[in-house]
Structure formats: C-alpha cells, structure tokens
Amino acid sequence: MKKQITKKGYRVLAIVWTLAAASMAVAFVRRLAEFNLMLLLLLALSALIAANFWKTYHRIPEEPGRDPFDVPPRFADDPELFDDEPPVPRHLNKDSEENTHER
C-alpha cells in the first residue's frame, strides 16, 4: 500500500527541488567559460522536477480538518480561558492607598 503525500509534503519537496535547481544554476554559471553539458542537463532536470512538484502542490485540494480554525484548541474545555468578564480582585483592602488610584 502506497502512502499518500500530503499537500504540505509536496510543498516541502517543491522547495527542496527549487533550491537544488538554484544550486545547479549557480554551478552552471560559475563554469560558463568551460561549457559542461552534464551541468546543463542536471539544471534542466532539477528545474523540471521542481516545476512538477509546484504544479502538483497547487493542484491538490486543501486537506479537510487541517484548517486551525475548524478544530477548537485543546484547552477549550477550560471556562476560565474564555471568560469575557474582567477578573475581580480578591482580598483587597478598600481603604488602602493602593486602591485609591483613578481608573
């Protein structure tokens, strides 16, 4: 059974092959004075593979359930994190100078 590559996996592969093609382009330009057919073929092959991975990445639909806004966070069961009321200070002495500042 073949494991399916996710959209994120295709993006990683596309980035890696794009960097490989860029590396081959730099190597080809450095040795431009002495023409090397093998470097040119490797450059063309790397560019084609990178383009193929980018096309595949853009063709794959979004994965269901992968949107972070679709799934609530793990701490959603804690009501204190989602309380809209401001916290009430406890154990404050109302006559203290610390509590006389204006709000």
Side-chain angles (χ1 to χ4, degrees):
M1 188 159 136
K2 187 176 176 183
K3 184 178 178 183
Q4 295 291 335
I5 300 175
T6 63
K7 186 168 183 165
K8 184 178 179 181
Y10 277 112
R11 184 181 64 200
V12 170
L13 287 170
I15 290 171
V16 167
W17 278 103
T18 302
L19 292 174
S23 173
M24 294 308 299
V26 168
F28 181 75
V29 169
R30 280 186 158 184
R31 298 180 188 241
L32 199 54
E34 51 191 63
F35 183 75
N36 192 342
L37 183 62
M38 186 58 83
L39 282 177
L40 182 62
L41 290 175
L42 285 173
L43 170 61
L45 183 65
S46 296
L48 286 174
I49 292 172
N52 188 24
F53 277 125
W54 280 116
K55 285 180 187 176
T56 305
Y57 167 71
H58 289 297
R59 244 191 344 235
I60 292 179
E62 290 293 325
E63 299 167 356
R66 290 291 193 176
D67 187 14
F69 297 107
D70 287 345
V71 180
R74 284 182 278 171
F75 53 80
D77 296 334
D78 188 6
E80 289 295 320
L81 292 174
F82 298 103
D83 191 12
D84 291 336
E85 298 176 11
V88 178
R90 297 179 188 168
H91 310 293
L92 289 180
N93 186 357
K94 294 186 179 185
D95 296 332
S96 168
E97 284 184 21
E98 295 174 2
N99 298 328
T100 59
H101 64 276
E102 295 183 30
R103 291 184 185 207

